[in-house]
């Protein structure tokens, strides 16, 4: 049991303590060397709290200690013994159906569009598809608000279309994983409707219904101070019933109460229903949030300020998280030999280790997001991302995550602007930059997840007005920003971070939602070719999936590393900057087998090369 009498280094040794310290440093824009400094690391926690003044209150410290002491396990580290699995060798491709390919001219991508492109994806070298939600939904959050888990969204097509897609993929020896959104359902889901209509219904306890807090002057306040990820309170008030219900996301995405075993049974039945159909696994939406502290305690305002959301310490690594993950695995995934990758926003490496250790029987993999912004920067900031940070992040994970775990390698997804636009504002460099990112992604130790359009070199769109922003998060953020700044500034901020960038229809053809009419970005056939060549190269040698990683150089703007496996060796030489720099001198025995530029003494801006030991 840790107390404030212990030292900073003791806290850092605990997985939760480690990740909390790292997260704090990241938000403050400080390096983790700070904790390793003996003066800091030997400091008593109590002294640190005192020194921090009003930045860290005793309340705050106590909340942290509570979280830390709730996790007794220490991750098991295994080196050198990597089990072989299809999903470690595969290249995944994420499809956000709504903005993939529209085949009937309504401006909305559909399942037939995906079926049409299976050959293209096969040709690109993709092994598995992760399909963002295609279930019936009122689309408050584009399908992440599910009304019926066993029905296909009408705009996307029919169950027959879905079956055809699955069949076609399997015929081509490709896999399909679905998106599992079970932290919440739509408020239009039968369970929620029934729960709201009848307080004695068995579904009432499927959600978090609570009475409000009545103040002396007769005001009816939400049951607690938790905020939603999409702005505003995390509670929606139902006037007729005089009751509030919890929603960590939009007010049409109602949080399920996982402590109710009927919820778990129903969800697990549903998962098995899809697995019986033949899908190969699931990406699990915000799965780390499913276990909430049952009393739903007030959120600490200081933690809220730091993490950008009040209440988070009460559910982002909840008391039964491990238990529920094991239950899903044992009752659904394992019997079907299905694959699972969890979306775990907010969790750092040590906590991810406890969720993905092979021996722990929880998840196969997770998505960690700590590499998406450089230290001290937030999602909605307009800045240039420094790839030196990405390099250090990768080295740290590759060296310390352990060989009984697998890292997901990704830059883009449907929740973020395009990475190449974040790294440089110089559009002339997008083409080489897109190739550099691909080259690292396919030669590093982990499983690559490509987001649709990355293989075309797609960058951010130039939105000109809020009318073009259809996303619930973008709109909510805009409304909140308007309270603090001018409309112009608020728009600029939203555009810097909006998820909409990733959600405009891919430019295969010209149909667009009316809001997105006229929005286009260049596509680069040479980038697509590069993806294809690199995926083929990756497939040609298991060294890329399983080989040892060794960092040769991490000088500023440089990333040189070696991959080696069963006597075969590769050196990868990368220029992380928009300026030419000297190429790594590999020596005579190395043959250049791939370059995104030339083979000269200098690497052009963002150029990267692969050499093989002859
Ligand atoms: O996009 C985010 C912040 O800008 C994240 O907070 C994001 O909401 C979070 O990572 C959870 O994402 C997932 O669940 C959401 C859904 O809106 C996202 O599209 C999904 O990826 C709620 O289901
Ligand atoms: Ca359509």
């Amino acid at each position: 049991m840790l107390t404030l009498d212990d030292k900073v280094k003791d806290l850092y040794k605990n997985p939760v303590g480690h990740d909390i310290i790292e997260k704090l440093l990241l938000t403050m824009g400080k390096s983790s060397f700070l904790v390793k400094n003996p003066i800091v690391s030997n400091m008593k926690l109590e002294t640190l709290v005192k020194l921090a003044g009003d930045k860290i209150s005793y309340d705050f410290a106590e909340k942290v200690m509570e979280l830390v002491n709730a996790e007794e396990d220490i991750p098991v580290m295994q080196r050198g013994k990597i089990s072989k699995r299809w999903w470690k060798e595969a290249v995944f491709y994420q499809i956000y159906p709504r903005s993939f390919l529209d085949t009937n001219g309504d401006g909305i991508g559909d399942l037939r569009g995906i079926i049409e492109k299976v050959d293209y994806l096969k040709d690109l070298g993709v092994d598995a598809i992760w399909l963002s939600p295609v279930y019936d939904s009122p689309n408050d959050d584009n399908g992440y608000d599910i009304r019926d888990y066993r029905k296909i969204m009408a705009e996307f097509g029919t169950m027959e279309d879905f079956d055809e897609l699955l069949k076609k993929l399997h015929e081509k020896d490709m896999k399909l994983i679905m998106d599992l959104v079970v932290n919440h359902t739509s408020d239009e889901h039968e369970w929620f409707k029934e729960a709201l209509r009848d307080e004695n219904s068995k579904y009432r306890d499927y959600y978090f219904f609570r009475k409000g807090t009545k103040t002396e002057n007769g005001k009816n306040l939400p049951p607690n101070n938790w905020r939603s990820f999409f702005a505003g309170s995390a509670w929606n008030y139902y006037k007729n019933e005089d009751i509030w219900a919890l929603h960590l996301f939009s007010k049409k995405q109602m949080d399920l109460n996982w402590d109710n075993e009927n919820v778990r049974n129903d969800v697990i039945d549903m998962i098995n229903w899809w697995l019986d159909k033949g899908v190969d696994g699931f990406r699990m939406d915000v799965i780390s949030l499913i276990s909430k502290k049952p009393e739903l305690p007030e959120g600490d305002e200081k933690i809220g300020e730091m993490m950008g959301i009040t209440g988070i310490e009460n559910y982002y690594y909840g008391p039964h998280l491990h238990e529920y993950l094991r239950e899903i695995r044992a009752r659904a995934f394992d019997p079907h030999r299905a694959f699972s990758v969890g979306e775990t926003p907010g969790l750092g490496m040590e906590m991810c280790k406890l969720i993905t250790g092979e021996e722990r029987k929880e998840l196969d993999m997770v998505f960690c997001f700590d590499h998406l912004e450089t230290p001290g920067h937030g999602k909605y900031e307009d800045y240039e991302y420094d790839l030196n940070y990405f390099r250090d992040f990768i080295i740290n994970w590759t060296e310390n995550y352990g060989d009984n775990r697998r890292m997901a390698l990704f830059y883009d997804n449907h929740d973020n602007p395009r990475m190449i636009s974040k790294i440089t504002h110089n559009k002339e460099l997008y083409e080489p930059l897109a190739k550099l990112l691909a080259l690292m992604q396919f030669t590093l130790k982990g499983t690559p997840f490509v987001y649709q359009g990355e293989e075309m070199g797609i960058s951010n769109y130039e939105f000109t007005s809020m009318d073009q922003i259809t996303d619930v998060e973008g709109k909510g953020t805009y409304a909140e920003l308007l309270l603090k700044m001018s409309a112009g500034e608020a728009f600029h901020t939203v555009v810097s971070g909006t998820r909409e960038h990733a959600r405009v229809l891919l430019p295969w053809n010209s149909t667009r939602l009316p809001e997105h009419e006229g929005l286009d970005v260049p596509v680069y056939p040479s980038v697509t070719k590069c993806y294809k060549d690199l995926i083929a190269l990756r497939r040609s040698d298991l060294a890329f999936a399983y080989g040892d990683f060794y960092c040769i150089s991490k000088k500023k703007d440089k990333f040189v590393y070696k991959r080696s496996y069963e006597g075969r060796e590769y050196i990868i030489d990368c220029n992380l900057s928009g300026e030419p720099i000297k190429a790594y001198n590999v020596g005579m025995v190395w043959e250049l087998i791939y370059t995104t530029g030339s083979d000269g003494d200098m690497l052009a801006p963002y150029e990267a090369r692969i050499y093989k030991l002859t």
Side-chain angles (χ1 to χ4, degrees), residues 96 130 141 144-145 179 181 184 229-230 249 253 283 285-286 289 343 345 369 379-380 413-416 471-473 497 499 503:
Y96 194 69
W130 150 24
D141 186 16
Y144 283 89
D145 48 324
D179 216 311
V181 189
H184 43 264
F229 283 91
F230 293 161
F249 293 90
Q253 292 170 296
R283 173 266 188 190
D285 192 61
V286 289
L289 311 186
E343 189 211 22
F369 298 96
K379 177 175 173 181
Y380 282 99
N413 63 23
H414 63 294
D415 288 335
N416 284 280
D471 171 40
V472 60
E473 182 196 74
R499 316 196 288 187
R503 299 179 177 194

Side-chain angles (χ1 to χ4, degrees), residues 125 130 469 561 574:
W130 150 24
I469 309 296
Y561 52 95
C574 306

Side-chain angles (χ1 to χ4, degrees), residues 102-110 155:
D102 169 30
T103 55
N104 62 353
D106 62 0
I108 299 170
D110 40 54
E155 290 161 321

